[in-house]
Amino acid sequence: MSKTKPKTWLPTKHEHLYRHKSGNYYVRLGHRTWRSLQTKLISVALIERDKWLEAERARSEMNPHIRDAKDHSMAGNEGDTNAANR
């Protein structure tokens, strides 16, 4: 019988919310952005996650470069003038 290492990050049934093996909850705001919610309680983690997500939405709405980058990535290569040169 092989022994498997316990996973470091456990996804929860809630979007963007993960539990570290230490018991603390983290919110994942993209591929590389993780923020500790500094709690081991799921009820508190859900509230804090919603605060982080709202702040992230507000930040992206205020910064046109972030909004344009998201719009561009969703559209694929449409409007990419350098796509033909690749």
Side-chain angles (χ1 to χ4, degrees), residues 61 75 77:
E61 287 175 3
N77 284 335

Side-chain angles (χ1 to χ4, degrees), residues 1 3 6 8 11 13 16 19 24-25 33-34 40-41 43 50 57 64-65 67 71-72 75-76 78-79 82-83:
M1 205 187 289
K3 294 183 180 181
T8 302
K13 64 180 183 178
H16 302 287
R19 186 169 182 252
N24 288 326
Y25 285 95
T33 306
W34 294 77
K40 292 183 178 185
L41 300 173
S43 58
D50 291 345
R57 281 187 198 102
H65 298 294
R67 185 179 62 241
D71 291 344
H72 181 67
E78 294 174 15
N82 292 325

Side-chain angles (χ1 to χ4, degrees), residues 37-78:
L37 300 176
Q38 300 179 348
T39 185
K40 292 183 178 185
L41 300 173
I42 187 73
S43 58
V44 175
L46 289 169
I47 293 167
E48 292 300 315
R49 177 206 58 177
D50 291 345
K51 288 179 187 178
W52 272 104
L53 292 175
E54 183 59 36
E56 186 65 17
R57 281 187 198 102
R59 185 180 72 82
S60 67
E61 287 175 3
M62 292 181 66
N63 188 337
H65 298 294
I66 294 172
R67 185 179 62 241
D68 292 343
K70 286 183 180 178
D71 291 344
H72 181 67
S73 67
M74 293 173 77
N77 284 335
E78 294 174 15

Side-chain angles (χ1 to χ4, degrees), residues 8-43:
T8 302
W9 297 101
L10 300 172
T12 66
K13 64 180 183 178
H14 305 284
E15 191 174 19
H16 302 287
L17 192 63
Y18 291 80
R19 186 169 182 252
H20 189 265
K21 66 181 179 182
S22 67
N24 288 326
Y25 285 95
Y26 286 74
V27 64
R28 186 173 182 185
L29 300 171
H31 183 69
R32 296 184 179 172
T33 306
W34 294 77
R35 297 287 183 244
S36 172
L37 300 176
Q38 300 179 348
T39 185
K40 292 183 178 185
L41 300 173
I42 187 73
S43 58

Side-chain angles (χ1 to χ4, degrees), residues 1-5:
M1 205 187 289
S2 65
K3 294 183 180 181
T4 58
K5 278 181 20 180

